[in-house]
Amino acid sequence: MQIGSVTTPFGRRPMTLALVRRQIETSEIKPGKSADKWKVFRDASEARELLGLQDRSLAVLDALLSFYPDNELRQDAQLIVFPSNAQLTLRAHGIAGATLRRHLALLVEAGLIVRKDSANGKRYARKDKAGAIDNAFGFDLSPLLMRAEQLAMMAQQVVADRLALRRAKENLTICRRDVRKLISAAIEEGASGDWENIEAIYVGLVGKIPRSPTLSDVNSILDEMELLQGEIINVLEMQQKDENTSTNDAHNERHIQNSKTESTYELEPSSEDERGAKSVDDDRPKREPVRNFPLGMVLRACAGISMYGPSGAIGSWRDMMAAAIVVRSMLGVSPSAYQEACEVMGPENAATAIACILERSGHINSPGGYLRDLTRKAERGEFSLGPMLMALLSTAGDSGRRAG
């Protein structure tokens, strides 16, 4: 490959250190390296948003590559093309001159081509006596060869992100449908619960979906929609359990009345071993494990705890739990109360509870007593962090809209 010294652009175009760096890098391409120019072009096209390019930019790049005679870009070949603006305009489907210059500049800025300008800014090639190109001035395609692997990885990432976005949208659509139909069924069949408020939360979540959502937008709303779905199911399950309990109580009462004529001897265990066979723990209610919630959702609902993380930020559950210990001490929650919460709820949920208490600290007289009360309810299977997080997320959303 023909490589000259670092050159500066002709005329008023400025020189930057980035251009110097790119020209130096192109001179260090691994010997013998080659790549299919159209494969590289397809990768660049796929990654155009990451590169900051538009469709017209790709049309110009396609035109430039068409002036390179071989299909394979090679390190030992002449990689400078030198078409005139008129020739480029023709191959770029009649693009206007000013538009052509703008998109050439974008390709240079994106690091896909490098200008090699002559003394007078013209593009041409000098040939030796044998007719081979000795020196050329125009656009150097070496950066495409140098970045072939990087462009391929960028293209793969774009494809993976597109697939993840499509799946996230599908999951959100299904979850949204399920929530809507569950709310409608509960209202139509007269199920007990604050369905008006639940429906308002659902409508608010749907209203937050942007016209052109990103993967982050969809995942954020999906987390909240799944949380709402879980709370609806919890309400319906609790109602079903209450109905079953009432039915069982009525059945047991009838059974006791019908059994009064039976022999007391026959109803008692025949030995001390049989009387003691029932464990003391059998009468205790079975405690459901408290559900863990996504860290991102917790931090959106409880933004205040972030400043207590290492270096003033929280990037993992480990950071979250470290911050919770600091906040626990600041709120006056005793170590024993927090330890009990960790044992009953799990460390992640205990940290989340502390974060929620911090957000509502102005409305809680005794944070330590409040945490112990939550722990006792969780131990009986009567507590879920979901409603607290939903309320705080709703408050945070309202604050954001007012600020905007």
Side-chain angles (χ1 to χ4, degrees), residues 1 8 22 40 43-44 126 178 218 249 258 278 347-348 362:
M1 180 177 64
T8 59
R22 287 170 193 157
V40 177
D43 290 339
R126 286 201 189 97
D178 292 346
V218 176
D249 287 345
N258 294 337
K278 185 178 180 181
E348 293 88 354

Side-chain angles (χ1 to χ4, degrees), residues 199-220:
E199 186 167 32
I201 293 174
Y202 167 77
V203 172
L205 286 177
V206 173
K208 289 168 61 177
I209 303 175
R211 184 179 298 273
S212 299
T214 63
L215 179 60
S216 176
D217 293 332
V218 176
N219 282 335
S220 173

Side-chain angles (χ1 to χ4, degrees), residues 298 305 317 320-325 338 341-342 345-357 385:
V298 174
I305 198 169
W317 276 112
M320 180 70 173
M321 288 184 276
I325 292 174
Y338 185 62
C342 288
M345 302 181 191
E348 293 88 354
N349 285 313
T352 300
I354 288 291
C356 291
I357 291 172
L385 286 164

Side-chain angles (χ1 to χ4, degrees), residues 396-404:
D398 291 342
S399 300
R401 284 190 288 273
R402 286 196 296 269

